[in-house]
DNA sequence: CTGCATGCAAAAACTTTGCACCGCC
DNA sequence: GGCGGTGCAAAGTTTTTGCATGCAG
């Protein structure tokens, strides 16, 4: 049974209002302005819980700590190898790739996570 | 300038002979049989170096520590959500998705990493 | 010899957890 | 009131790094 908590709501609201895929640390510092007493442990617990129940997404980019996305809907992410920023990306016509991947595979594919990488617009401009 | 080292060769050979995508710790323990004095730091340094120069791949699955794949060629991976195993997966016809993703994106997409997830054949059988 | 690579160990970075107290239901 | 959530801090896990020494070029 999931009990209401102001802290968890604040975390969801915080994430819903940002599109830069903050880390747990960034969420912590942000929430702290409203709840000066919140602890990093609580932030981690709630981020973990929310991503487990599918209300947010956890992004393990392989560069630095995990990041979190307040948008639970399936979409894609772009990681800039130069500045490390993580951007949302909407790519149409990729729904079929689970089916494609299941060809010749004995298990059951439920979904996929894709990270595109390269150079973001800003880094492209300044190079 | 990259200098030859027996340790690095051993790590490459070790990875080339396995298909279970071991963690740094597993590589360390494996190499230790041949080089009892190798240190975990050296393993991390070389895994990081080798993945930087593209001779191996680093897999950040988001579950537990990073894993490493001795096959540098582009291919896909499947992560079993039940037992945590990581399997190679060959999926044809996904070369175009970088192009697809670049539509309406101002940056430059150089590649992508995709993790499929679900239930592996063994876990599917036993459930 | 010169400088990158190693071994060792300490430390950093990131995340989880035990416990007593607090507050939702 | 009962039980899950929180704050705090300690500990766990994973990875990086400083430094003296070793070995390839």
């Amino acid at each position: 049974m999931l009990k209401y908590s102001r802290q968890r709501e604040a975390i969801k609201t915080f994430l819903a209002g940002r599109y830069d895929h903050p880390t747990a640390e960034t969420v912590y510092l942000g929430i702290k302005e409203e709840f000066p007493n919140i602890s990093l442990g609580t932030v981690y617990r709630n981020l973990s819980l929310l991503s487990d129940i599918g209300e947010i997404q956890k992004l393990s980019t392989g560069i630095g700590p995990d990041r979190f996305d307040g948008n639970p809907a399936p979409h894609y992410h772009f990681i800039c190898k130069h500045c490390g920023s993580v951007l949302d990306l909407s790519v149409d016509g990729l729904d079929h790739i689970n089916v494609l991947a299941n060809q010749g595979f004995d298990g059951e594919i439920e979904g996929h996570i894709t990270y595109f990488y390269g150079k973001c617009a800003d880094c492209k401009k300044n190079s």
Side-chain angles (χ1 to χ4, degrees), chain A:
Chain A
M1 169 53 192
L2 190 58
K3 195 181 289 187
Y4 170 87
S5 100
R6 269 171 296 170
Q7 289 88 337
R8 186 181 318 118
E9 284 311 303
I11 290 171
K12 280 173 63 175
T13 304
F14 181 83
L15 279 179
R18 310 190 44 135
Y19 303 93
D20 61 344
H21 313 89
T23 63
E25 179 78 17
T26 304
V27 173
Y28 169 62
L29 294 173
I31 303 291
K32 223 175 171 180
E33 315 222 327
E34 190 184 352
F35 295 89
N37 288 326
I38 199 173
S39 79
L40 191 51
T42 295
V43 171
Y44 271 104
R45 269 187 290 242
N46 279 303
L47 289 172
S48 178
L49 169 62
L50 290 169
S51 88
D52 283 349
I53 64 179
E55 299 205 3
I56 66 173
Q57 292 192 53
K58 182 174 88 159
L59 309 178
S60 300
T61 66
I63 308 170
D66 287 345
R67 292 162 164 267
F68 296 88
D69 188 332
N71 177 5
H75 61 284
Y76 293 90
H77 294 100
F78 172 83
I79 301 163
C80 181
K81 287 232 172 161
H82 299 258
C83 68
S85 68
V86 177
L87 306 171
D88 285 319
L89 208 60
S90 72
V91 185
D92 290 330
L94 287 194
D95 298 332
H96 66 297
I97 80 173
N98 290 343
V99 180
L100 227 50
N102 232 332
Q103 287 169 8
F105 178 66
D106 286 339
E108 187 178 331
I109 290 175
E110 295 166 3
H112 67 270
I113 297 175
T114 296
Y115 300 109
F116 292 93
Y117 57 86
K119 206 184 290 184
C120 74
D122 281 350
C123 288
K124 193 179 173 186
K125 202 187 313 168
N126 306 325
S127 68

